[in-house]
Amino acid sequence: MSLRVVFLGPPGAGKGTQARTLAHDTGAAHVATGDMLRDAIAAATALGRQAKAYYDRGELVPDDLVTGMLRERLQQGDTTKGFILDGFPRTLAQAEALERLLKDLGQDLDRVIFYDVPEAELLRRLAARRQVERRADDTDEAIKNRLRVYAAQTAPLLDYYRNHSLLVSVPGVGTVEAIGEAVRRALGR
Ligand code: AMP
Protein backbone atom coordinates (compact mmCIF):
# COMPACT_ATOMS: atom_id res chain seq x y z
CA MET A 1 0.00 0.00 0.00
CA SER A 2 1.49 3.30 -1.05
CA LEU A 3 1.55 6.51 0.91
CA ARG A 4 1.44 9.93 -0.74
CA VAL A 5 1.49 12.71 1.75
CA VAL A 6 2.50 16.34 2.21
CA PHE A 7 3.93 17.59 5.51
CA LEU A 8 3.00 21.23 5.95
CA GLY A 9 4.13 23.54 8.72
CA PRO A 10 6.44 26.38 9.66
CA PRO A 11 10.23 26.04 9.86
CA GLY A 12 11.08 24.31 13.14
CA ALA A 13 7.81 22.37 13.28
CA GLY A 14 9.56 18.99 13.29
CA LYS A 15 8.45 17.86 9.82
CA GLY A 16 11.89 16.47 8.94
CA THR A 17 12.21 14.34 12.06
CA GLN A 18 8.76 12.83 11.58
CA ALA A 19 9.26 12.36 7.82
CA ARG A 20 12.46 10.37 8.35
CA THR A 21 10.78 7.96 10.78
CA LEU A 22 7.66 7.54 8.66
CA ALA A 23 9.74 6.95 5.51
CA HIS A 24 11.75 4.33 7.35
CA ASP A 25 8.60 2.58 8.62
CA THR A 26 6.62 2.64 5.36
CA GLY A 27 9.19 2.51 2.55
CA ALA A 28 7.86 5.78 1.12
CA ALA A 29 10.57 8.15 -0.15
CA HIS A 30 11.40 11.15 2.05
CA VAL A 31 11.47 14.06 -0.38
CA ALA A 32 12.82 17.16 1.37
CA THR A 33 13.30 20.03 -1.06
CA GLY A 34 15.43 21.94 1.48
CA ASP A 35 17.87 18.98 1.68
CA MET A 36 17.92 18.69 -2.11
CA LEU A 37 18.71 22.39 -2.45
CA ARG A 38 21.45 22.20 0.20
CA ASP A 39 23.02 19.30 -1.77
CA ALA A 40 22.74 21.23 -5.05
CA ILE A 41 24.32 24.31 -3.47
CA ALA A 42 27.14 22.26 -1.92
CA ALA A 43 27.83 20.59 -5.27
CA ALA A 44 27.56 23.96 -7.08
CA THR A 45 25.32 22.51 -9.79
CA ALA A 46 23.55 24.94 -12.16
CA LEU A 47 20.46 24.72 -9.95
CA GLY A 48 22.53 25.21 -6.80
CA ARG A 49 24.19 28.31 -8.19
CA GLN A 50 20.82 29.81 -9.09
CA ALA A 51 19.31 28.93 -5.70
CA LYS A 52 22.11 29.99 -3.35
CA ALA A 53 21.39 33.70 -2.86
CA TYR A 54 17.69 33.09 -2.13
CA TYR A 55 18.51 30.24 0.20
CA ASP A 56 21.09 32.18 2.21
CA ARG A 57 18.64 35.04 2.80
CA GLY A 58 15.88 32.68 3.96
CA GLU A 59 13.77 33.53 0.93
CA LEU A 60 11.98 31.07 -1.31
CA VAL A 61 13.83 29.76 -4.33
CA PRO A 62 11.75 30.59 -7.46
CA ASP A 63 8.82 28.24 -8.10
CA ASP A 64 9.95 27.07 -11.54
CA LEU A 65 13.35 25.90 -10.25
CA VAL A 66 11.92 23.99 -7.29
CA THR A 67 9.02 22.57 -9.26
CA GLY A 68 11.33 21.28 -12.01
CA MET A 69 13.54 19.67 -9.39
CA LEU A 70 10.52 17.99 -7.77
CA ARG A 71 9.15 16.73 -11.09
CA GLU A 72 12.37 14.81 -11.69
CA ARG A 73 12.53 13.58 -8.11
CA LEU A 74 9.03 12.08 -8.08
CA GLN A 75 9.88 9.99 -11.13
CA GLN A 76 12.79 8.21 -9.48
CA GLY A 77 12.46 4.51 -8.69
CA ASP A 78 12.38 4.84 -4.91
CA THR A 79 8.90 6.42 -4.98
CA THR A 80 7.03 3.22 -5.88
CA LYS A 81 5.79 2.94 -2.27
CA GLY A 82 4.90 6.62 -2.31
CA PHE A 83 6.49 9.77 -0.96
CA ILE A 84 6.49 12.15 1.96
CA LEU A 85 6.87 15.72 0.75
CA ASP A 86 8.72 17.73 3.39
CA GLY A 87 9.00 21.42 2.55
CA PHE A 88 7.03 21.33 -0.70
CA PRO A 89 4.68 22.91 -1.72
CA ARG A 90 5.40 26.29 -0.14
CA THR A 91 3.34 28.54 -2.43
CA LEU A 92 -0.03 28.31 -4.14
CA ALA A 93 1.73 28.08 -7.51
CA GLN A 94 3.71 25.08 -6.23
CA ALA A 95 0.53 23.42 -4.93
CA GLU A 96 -1.06 23.84 -8.33
CA ALA A 97 2.06 22.53 -10.07
CA LEU A 98 2.01 19.50 -7.77
CA GLU A 99 -1.60 18.84 -8.64
CA ARG A 100 -0.74 18.92 -12.37
CA LEU A 101 2.33 16.74 -11.89
CA LEU A 102 0.42 14.09 -9.95
CA LYS A 103 -2.32 14.14 -12.55
CA ASP A 104 0.33 13.47 -15.23
CA LEU A 105 1.65 10.59 -13.14
CA GLY A 106 -1.88 9.23 -12.52
CA GLN A 107 -1.50 9.67 -8.76
CA ASP A 108 -3.42 11.33 -5.93
CA LEU A 109 -2.45 12.77 -2.57
CA ASP A 110 -3.77 10.78 0.39
CA ARG A 111 -3.43 13.51 3.02
CA VAL A 112 -1.81 16.78 3.96
CA ILE A 113 -0.60 16.84 7.57
CA PHE A 114 -0.30 20.25 9.19
CA TYR A 115 2.09 20.49 12.16
CA ASP A 116 0.62 23.06 14.49
CA VAL A 117 3.29 24.71 16.70
CA PRO A 118 3.07 28.07 18.55
CA GLU A 119 5.49 30.72 17.26
CA ALA A 120 7.34 31.10 20.60
CA GLU A 121 8.14 27.38 20.51
CA LEU A 122 9.36 27.63 16.89
CA LEU A 123 11.77 30.43 17.78
CA ARG A 124 13.11 28.40 20.69
CA ARG A 125 13.65 25.33 18.49
CA LEU A 126 15.26 27.25 15.63
CA ALA A 127 17.69 28.89 18.05
CA ALA A 128 18.53 25.48 19.57
CA ARG A 129 18.97 23.87 16.13
CA ARG A 130 21.53 26.53 15.27
CA GLN A 131 23.93 25.09 17.91
CA VAL A 132 23.94 21.66 16.21
CA GLU A 133 23.31 22.11 12.49
CA ARG A 134 25.08 25.26 11.32
CA ARG A 135 22.94 26.00 8.29
CA ALA A 136 23.69 29.08 6.19
CA ASP A 137 20.07 30.19 6.71
CA ASP A 138 20.14 29.95 10.52
CA THR A 139 21.26 33.55 11.08
CA ASP A 140 18.83 35.72 13.11
CA GLU A 141 17.88 37.69 10.02
CA ALA A 142 17.30 34.59 7.85
CA ILE A 143 15.25 32.88 10.57
CA LYS A 144 12.99 35.94 10.87
CA ASN A 145 12.68 35.97 7.11
CA ARG A 146 11.77 32.29 6.92
CA LEU A 147 8.96 32.78 9.46
CA ARG A 148 7.71 35.87 7.59
CA VAL A 149 7.82 34.03 4.27
CA TYR A 150 5.96 31.10 5.81
CA ALA A 151 3.15 33.31 7.14
CA ALA A 152 2.78 35.23 3.87
CA GLN A 153 3.28 32.54 1.23
CA THR A 154 2.84 29.09 2.76
CA ALA A 155 0.12 29.50 5.42
CA PRO A 156 -2.50 30.17 2.68
CA LEU A 157 -2.04 26.54 1.64
CA LEU A 158 -3.95 25.53 4.77
CA ASP A 159 -7.16 26.87 3.22
CA TYR A 160 -6.26 25.43 -0.16
CA TYR A 161 -5.91 21.90 1.22
CA ARG A 162 -8.85 22.31 3.59
CA ASN A 163 -10.96 23.09 0.53
CA HIS A 164 -9.60 19.95 -1.14
CA SER A 165 -10.65 17.95 1.98
CA LEU A 166 -7.06 16.75 2.42
CA LEU A 167 -5.94 18.68 5.50
CA VAL A 168 -5.47 17.08 8.91
CA SER A 169 -4.01 19.10 11.78
CA VAL A 170 -1.64 17.48 14.27
CA PRO A 171 -0.30 19.24 17.39
CA GLY A 172 3.45 19.54 16.77
CA VAL A 173 4.31 19.76 20.47
CA GLY A 174 5.11 16.96 22.89
CA THR A 175 7.53 14.06 22.53
CA VAL A 176 8.72 12.96 19.10
CA GLU A 177 7.01 9.60 19.76
CA ALA A 178 3.65 11.13 20.71
CA ILE A 179 3.68 13.36 17.64
CA GLY A 180 4.57 10.36 15.48
CA GLU A 181 1.63 8.45 16.95
CA ALA A 182 -0.73 11.35 16.14
CA VAL A 183 0.61 11.43 12.57
CA ARG A 184 0.06 7.70 12.08
CA ARG A 185 -3.48 8.05 13.42
CA ALA A 186 -4.12 10.95 11.04
CA LEU A 187 -2.96 8.70 8.20
CA GLY A 188 -5.08 5.80 9.38
CA ARG A 189 -2.01 3.60 9.98
P1 AMP B 1 13.92 23.85 4.67
O1 AMP B 1 15.09 22.97 4.88
O2 AMP B 1 12.69 23.11 4.19
O3 AMP B 1 13.63 24.74 5.84
O4 AMP B 1 14.29 24.82 3.44
C1 AMP B 1 15.40 25.69 3.53
C2 AMP B 1 15.37 26.72 2.41
O5 AMP B 1 15.37 26.05 1.13
C3 AMP B 1 14.15 27.63 2.38
O6 AMP B 1 14.28 28.73 3.25
C4 AMP B 1 14.14 28.05 0.92
O7 AMP B 1 15.16 29.01 0.66
C5 AMP B 1 14.55 26.76 0.20
N1 AMP B 1 13.39 25.92 -0.13
C6 AMP B 1 13.13 24.66 0.34
N2 AMP B 1 11.99 24.18 -0.18
C7 AMP B 1 11.52 25.16 -0.99
C8 AMP B 1 10.35 25.28 -1.80
N3 AMP B 1 9.42 24.30 -1.87
N4 AMP B 1 10.19 26.43 -2.51
C9 AMP B 1 11.10 27.43 -2.45
N5 AMP B 1 12.20 27.38 -1.70
C10 AMP B 1 12.41 26.26 -0.97
Side-chain angles (χ1 to χ4, degrees):
M1 195 171 115
S2 69
L3 175 73
R4 299 192 188 96
V5 63
V6 168
F7 280 6
L8 195 62
K15 303 185 294 294
T17 304
Q18 294 297 335
R20 273 186 288 279
T21 309
L22 188 64
H24 176 265
D25 294 349
T26 60
H30 176 202
V31 176
T33 46
D35 290 347
M36 294 168 73
L37 288 168
R38 276 184 285 283
D39 288 347
I41 291 168
T45 63
L47 170 67
R49 279 182 275 117
Q50 284 171 286
K52 184 175 174 12
Y54 299 99
Y55 179 96
D56 285 350
R57 286 195 298 265
E59 289 171 14
L60 293 185
V61 174
D63 287 332
D64 54 336
L65 293 181
V66 184
T67 301
M69 176 177 88
L70 188 84
R71 179 174 279 272
E72 282 179 27
R73 180 66 186 88
L74 288 191
Q75 296 181 68
Q76 285 170 17
D78 64 341
T79 59
T80 49
K81 289 190 172 165
F83 52 75
I84 302 160
L85 294 186
D86 165 12
F88 186 100
R90 264 176 155 95
T91 65
L92 225 40
Q94 290 181 15
E96 286 163 1
L98 176 63
E99 208 171 315
R100 284 193 298 274
L101 169 58
L102 291 180
K103 196 163 178 225
D104 290 348
L105 298 175
Q107 299 176 356
D108 280 313
L109 281 181
D110 299 318
R111 284 273 189 288
V112 175
I113 306 283
F114 169 60
Y115 288 79
D116 196 3
V117 182
E119 173 151 325
E121 172 67 12
L122 294 176
L123 288 168
R124 199 187 59 73
R125 289 186 193 175
L126 289 167
R129 178 158 88 184
R130 180 150 64 177
Q131 318 298 319
V132 282
E133 273 188 43
R134 293 181 162 274
R135 287 168 43 159
D137 61 344
D138 271 345
T139 62
D140 275 339
E141 204 39 53
I143 286 177
K144 273 196 225 135
N145 230 346
R146 283 158 58 205
L147 289 170
R148 260 199 305 266
V149 163
Y150 172 79
Q153 306 207 54
T154 307
L157 294 182
L158 293 176
D159 270 342
Y160 178 86
Y161 283 122
R162 205 175 277 126
N163 291 336
H164 283 66
S165 304
L166 286 170
L167 191 74
V168 183
S169 214
V170 163
V173 289
T175 63
V176 169
E177 292 73 22
I179 298 168
E181 195 49 49
V183 170
R184 277 188 292 277
R185 259 200 313 276
L187 294 173
R189 299 225 164 200

